[in-house]
Amino acid sequence: MLKSLTVSNFKIFESPVTIDFSATGNYAFNKDAVKDGISKTSVMYGKNASGKSSIALALFDIVANLTDNFVSTKDYISYLNANSNNKPAEFKYVFCFDGKDIVYEYKKTNIFTIIAEKLTIDGKTAILYDRQSKK
């Protein structure tokens, strides 16, 4: 289950922004919305141009990386943040399976070009790939 998402230099977000689904607070009104301490049902609301669509696209960006599913490039016309000075967009997804955190992080210069990836399972780095330093 997705525990948290952090994104920076992507679309509207220049500085890192984290959505933490484990910060559930008191869900006494609907206990079915939380499973194993993580919100499994959430609603996001806000003013126009506040970043709701950018968060949704960040949530789906991982699908484009890990599957063959088609991604509509029209949604990614401006991939990097406008104030980016050509820094890569950075994504960090924390999943929790059987009480263990699995962290998948990557950096991209555009929708198709991954320049670094890291996979950590229960605190141990399993994969580290960095095209910039050729590691």
Side-chain angles (χ1 to χ4, degrees):
M1 184 176 299
L2 182 61
K3 187 174 180 180
S4 70
L5 160 69
T6 302
V7 62
S8 64
N9 204 44
F10 174 72
K11 309 262 317 147
I12 195 172
F13 303 113
E14 181 179 8
S15 300
V17 171
T18 300
I19 303 292
D20 186 352
F21 297 103
S22 67
T24 57
N26 182 1
Y27 269 72
F29 65 92
N30 188 351
K31 295 188 188 290
D32 292 332
V34 177
K35 181 179 180 184
D36 298 327
I38 298 173
S39 173
K40 64 178 189 167
T41 306
S42 300
V43 174
M44 186 180 301
Y45 65 93
K47 295 179 181 180
N48 288 343
S50 63
K52 298 179 304 292
S53 295
S54 294
I55 285 292
L57 287 171
L59 283 166
F60 287 112
D61 197 79
I62 192 171
V63 174
N65 286 349
L66 300 178
T67 71
D68 292 333
N69 288 347
F70 174 76
V71 175
S72 173
T73 54
K74 72 177 181 65
D75 291 330
Y76 292 93
I77 291 170
S78 59
Y79 193 82
L80 298 177
N81 179 270
N83 299 321
S84 70
N85 295 323
N86 296 320
K87 291 184 259 179
E90 297 185 26
F91 301 83
K92 179 179 179 180
Y93 304 85
V94 179
F95 297 92
C96 186
F97 297 108
D98 296 327
K100 295 183 181 185
D101 282 352
I102 295 156
V103 182
Y104 178 52
E105 303 172 70
Y106 58 90
K107 298 178 184 180
K108 295 170 86 173
T109 55
N110 61 53
I111 188 172
F112 300 111
T113 308
I114 298 173
I115 60 170
E117 285 181 283
K118 182 178 181 181
L119 178 68
T120 306
I121 301 171
D122 204 24
K124 298 176 184 165
T125 300
I127 297 171
L128 177 60
Y129 181 74
D130 188 343
R131 283 188 171 169
Q132 293 175 313
S133 65
K134 300 186 179 171
K135 288 195 323 188

